[in-house]
Amino acid sequence: MTVEKIIESAKDTQERLFALEPGDRRTQGAAGISCAVAIRSHAEKQIFRGFGGAFTESSGYVLSFLPEEKREAVLHAYFCPDTAEGNGVGNLCDAPVLVDTKSGDVYFQSSFYAIGHFSRYIEPGAKRLALSCTGFMMPATVDGRMGNTLEACALKNPGGSIVLVISNRTEADAVYQLSLDDASPESFRAPARSIQTLIIR
């Protein structure tokens, strides 16, 4: 198993979709391991077709038939919440990207970067792989429940690379042991409140 790259977004560092060298997060030994993540590359599950969303291609198609002023109203309602009035339809929704219509400022929300950990590295046609994520002693979690563990998923891209996305929602660093099939496990550190994407060959 070769981890070629780690991409990370973390609360404490304020870095978003930041590329690291694998050695930056590799740890030595089994001391302090919170979770064991095991990927089975030959146990393939469903095929990943691509990323959808509430604003799909069909929505865009319908939007294209609206008069210009109606299109502007719909786009404003979904993507330009006004701080004083919400989005004009009685709720204060959130979106990955928000626009302040008064100043013209654009705000990339944390959900934008979280989605990027999947959408930038997992290719259409990738196959989800069998994965186990066995938790041991975890640090305190955001919601105070000790039953939470790291969350992870792995997919194999059509070109053969494996993408592992792992999330640490706890308030402390977590060390996890990663193994691929029968390869010797390696240990990595996921900072508090972080998402990591590992590119594996």
Side-chain angles (χ1 to χ4, degrees):
M1 173 179 77
T2 302
V3 176
E4 292 184 342
K5 187 188 296 185
I6 297 178
I7 300 92
E8 184 176 275
S9 296
K11 177 186 172 188
D12 290 343
T13 64
Q14 297 299 309
E15 297 287 359
R16 303 292 182 259
L17 293 169
F18 186 75
L20 301 164
E21 292 297 321
D24 295 342
R25 292 293 180 252
R26 194 171 271 123
T27 63
Q28 299 297 319
I33 289 181
S34 304
C35 189
V37 178
I39 301 170
R40 294 187 300 284
S41 67
H42 300 293
E44 296 177 346
K45 305 293 183 179
Q46 71 266 32
I47 294 176
F48 170 77
R49 303 279 182 210
F51 284 91
F55 214 74
T56 62
E57 288 180 9
S58 59
S59 301
Y61 180 74
V62 170
L63 190 69
S64 71
F65 286 97
L66 293 176
E68 185 174 349
E69 63 276 0
K70 292 283 187 186
R71 277 198 309 268
E72 289 296 320
V74 170
L75 291 172
H76 184 274
Y78 276 92
F79 300 109
C80 304
D82 191 276
T83 55
E85 303 170 17
N87 62 5
V89 293
N91 64 38
L92 298 172
C93 69
D94 194 8
V97 180
L98 298 175
V99 178
D100 184 327
T101 56
K102 291 182 175 71
S103 69
D105 292 336
V106 178
Y107 300 96
F108 294 93
Q109 305 292 83
S110 57
S111 58
F112 172 84
Y113 299 104
I115 292 167
H117 278 274
F118 297 88
S119 64
R120 292 184 182 201
Y121 304 100
I122 299 170
E123 302 165 7
K127 293 183 179 177
R128 188 173 67 84
L129 301 177
L131 176 143
S132 63
C133 194
T134 307
F136 306 120
M137 185 64 184
M138 285 293 293
T141 58
V142 175
D143 59 13
R145 293 182 300 184
M146 291 305 290
N148 288 343
T149 185
L150 299 178
E151 297 171 301
C153 68
L155 293 97
K156 183 188 286 184
N157 281 326
S161 64
I162 294 174
V163 178
L164 171 70
V165 181
I166 191 159
S167 171
N168 176 9
R169 297 186 300 119
T170 73
E171 298 289 351
D173 290 4
V175 176
Y176 60 95
Q177 193 173 58
L178 173 62
S179 60
L180 173 63
D181 299 325
D182 297 324
S184 298
E186 297 181 37
S187 298
F188 295 89
R189 180 176 61 85
R193 303 292 294 272
S194 69
I195 300 177
Q196 290 179 340
T197 299
L198 281 70
I199 311 298
I200 303 166
R201 291 281 178 187

